[in-house]
Amino acid sequence: MDEKTLDDVISRYDSPSGRLLGILGEIQNREGYVPRDALEMLSAKLDVRLSQLYGLVTFYSFFSLKPVGDHVITVCMGTACHVRGAVEVLAALEQLLGIEDEATQDGKFSVTTEDNRFTLEIARCFGACSMAPVVEIDGNLYGYVTPETLPGILGNYGWRES
Amino acid sequence: MTGAAEADLPAREAAGLRKLKPDRPRIAVGLATCGAAMGGDRVYRRFQEIIGAGGDDIMLTKTGCIGYCREEPQVNITIPGRPLVILHRVDADDVEEIVTAVRAGEVPYEMALCRVPSWDHVTGTTVEYGGGFDRIPLYQDVRFFSHQKKVVLRNAGFINPEDIDEYIAVGGYAAAKTALTEMEPDAVVAEVERSGLRGRGGAGFPTGLKWRITRKAPGDEKYIICNADEGDPGAYMNRNEMESDPHMLIEGMIIGAYAIGAREGLIYLRAEYPLAIRRLELAIAQARTCGLLGERIFGTGFDFEIRIVTGAGAFVCGESTALIASIEGRTGRPHPRPPRLTDIGGGLWKKPTDLNNVETWCNVPVIIQNGGDWYARIGTEKNTGTKVFSLVGKVDRVGLVEVPLGTSLNTIVFDIGNGGSQGKKVKAVQTGGPSGGCIPVRLFDTPVDYENLNRVGSIMGSGGIVVMDEETNMVDIARYFVNFATGESCGKCVPCREGLKHTLLLLNKIMAGKGTEKDLDTLGLLADTIQKTSLCGLGQLAPNPVLTTLAYFREEYGALVKK
Ligand SMILES: Cc1cc2nc3c(=O)[nH]c(=O)nc-3n(C[C@H](O)[C@H](O)[C@H](O)COP(=O)(O)O)c2cc1C
Ligand code: FES
């Protein structure tokens, strides 16, 4: 993120209430993760210790320190989705994308395929529980997902059976 | 902004009514998050193409969600002089047929869910649509709706949530005007006290009392906050309240701020709800343009502003002290109370602060409009009013259900929800999210209120009701919640951080078929200790799923352990 964009973002927060989370959230939304140089710039501009910012980014699960792939797939692991088969959906996605279950360094589940095209993550609940199980891809929600419907959905994002 | 224009409610009301009942047909597509995801977006775009091509003989607009999520996408048709007709399971391919029918003064009967000849918006406004279409069932005869009582969701699925005029047309902001121009702040607090309203965020604390305490706290700088973190997985009523009727929340906060004496209100909204954020931002901007937020509201000396703060995905931040830390830009770790939020030194930036849940705020306008006594007659003596529940999981009719408090689980799960999905047998429900418990079907005559849910080992929480059927393994459910709570524990206190971890290890062991009877006793002991010694509600309540499944489904544990 360049300095001017960051200044723009910062200028939109005229109140200290919710400022840090708001700015970090916008960085995350724009970049797909929170790059270290953005954190360093932010630390200097707001006169907030880098360690404090780092603490926030690792505490809150919305932020990620690692770049993500071209498409981010998030599986809801909320209760409604759990009782309606989220575990099977996650397993099927891992298999289709050829990735193995592994936790990242900051303890969050986020795995990117080797070709960098897909990142697989999990979430707590999208509040779309009526259509459980739910998967979100690049901000689009898909409901009533089953291992059988997944290949068709992934196909919209350039995935092909290998 | 100085001397903001006095809100011209009558003009807006007239404009809103012309939009709700235009002199030409109106088509409104249900576009809350789930409706849109189920294809409502495509349906809307298709309507745009087809109607656009034929001129402006039909008004196309959006509406929120009426709660019958299984039947999405839904489309409302209003033909002048005719009842409002709700179409269900509409596909983009149906749109041409719908438009052709509407242009001929008809509706496609086979897509119709129900008709609404008139709708009571509860705040004194009833919109009369008209008669006819007798072959289509009436709204109140649809089983999903007939046991419900809409108070908080009275406008959801009827008005366009992106248009303040429509909210005003159905009685909106009249209560705020009454409160600010005709009532003393103390009288507003007294009215809320009289209503018996209890906080909808989980614990059921009396709202009027919390307001009075904050009002009386010393200092003239105070805050009010709306808790829109909606952390319980499986609960999504707050999302719909914000997406389908954002002005109701804003109006409730205006009234609360006036009563408490706050000039700034914050809405702590989870980042997972982008549409709710957008709609609230828009609603706040509209309210400001109309002079309903800003300086000298209704020409009085009262100034008030609302700001949205987005959360960042930490369950514990729904807890009051962690939420404050989070808004202040710190990691959301709870601290022991007192000081409470309402105390000086305990709230946001150390100022006395009143925190209420979205649905609590949404109840306020109707209480002021119709009176606390009116409200207190709904529900039961100590549990007044209605509550919105999200009925999800393995239930046939999934959706958002609003019923008077004290309604039994039987009514909710069987009469409204029609029992298990795909004809399977319902075994239990889980209420209250990770802090709640599992209630077996034999206890479904339990009235759903704060005390009775506690009595059976669960809690109200924010109103999620997740249905489990014969195929659900209850030990797996206990493990699921403990895994959740372990992941969300902030790590500050030992009982929660370590106790939950060991509970999880035990449950994993039992699930793997390696547990013993002794492990079951240890589980109970651990749960008891965590409950009694944790610092905040997260830890104190996290054992509930274990304790209730041990109490009610011990045989499922028994089947897994070595003899
Ligand atoms: C771990 C934890 C999570 C919570 N999450 C929420 C939440 O997501 N939404 C909410 O309104 N209240 C939540 N609460 C309850 C709040 O702390 C607080 O009691 C409530 O917002 C007060 O509002 P009310 O009086 O209107 O219910 C949570 C409490 C705990 C202990
Ligand atoms: S539980 Fe998955 S969307 Fe709510």
Side-chain angles (χ1 to χ4, degrees), chain A residues 76-82 124-130 132-134, chain B residues 233-236:
Chain A
C76 175
M77 301 306 267
T79 322
C81 291
H82 179 82
R124 243 175 5 174
C125 174
F126 290 112
C129 328
S130 58
V134 177
Chain B
Y236 63 106

Side-chain angles (χ1 to χ4, degrees), chain A residues 13 15-23, chain B residues 308-310 326-329 349:
Chain A
Y13 291 85
S15 157
S17 300
R19 189 176 191 204
L20 284 185
L21 284 194
I23 294 170
Chain B
I308 296 174
V309 172
T310 43
S326 180
I327 297 179
E328 291 180 354
W349 309 114

Side-chain angles (χ1 to χ4, degrees), chain A residues 101-161:
Chain A
D101 189 341
E102 53 174 81
T104 57
Q105 17 162 323
D106 46 9
K108 294 168 196 161
F109 184 93
S110 174
V111 195
T112 301
T113 54
E114 268 170 29
D115 59 9
N116 216 27
R117 301 228 335 265
F118 296 97
T119 297
L120 185 60
E121 303 193 335
I122 59 174
R124 243 175 5 174
C125 174
F126 290 112
C129 328
S130 58
M131 47 187 216
V134 177
V135 169
E136 188 203 58
I137 307 183
D138 299 347
N140 302 312
L141 288 178
Y142 296 88
Y144 303 103
V145 176
T146 64
E148 291 72 42
T149 58
L150 276 174
I153 296 171
L154 289 181
N156 299 332
Y157 299 86
W159 178 87
R160 293 288 169 268
E161 184 122 44

Side-chain angles (χ1 to χ4, degrees), chain A residues 14-15 17-18 20-21 52 56 59-63 77-79 82-84 124-127 129-131 141 144, chain B residues 33 37-38 69 233 236 239 270 307 309 312-315 326-327 329-330 332 349 393-394 476 480-481 484 488:
Chain A
D14 53 353
S15 157
S17 300
L20 284 185
L21 284 194
Q52 185 188 344
L56 291 176
F59 181 85
Y60 292 99
S61 63
F62 189 70
F63 307 126
M77 301 306 267
T79 322
H82 179 82
V83 301
R84 291 178 69 134
R124 243 175 5 174
C125 174
F126 290 112
C129 328
S130 58
M131 47 187 216
L141 288 178
Y144 303 103
Chain B
T33 294
M38 288 305 294
C69 306
Y236 63 106
R239 172 180 69 66
R270 62 197 302 241
R307 197 184 287 284
V309 172
F315 175 70
S326 180
I327 297 179
R330 291 178 284 123
W349 309 114
K394 304 246 195 131
D476 174 63
Y480 167 81
F481 280 114
F484 181 96
E488 297 293 337

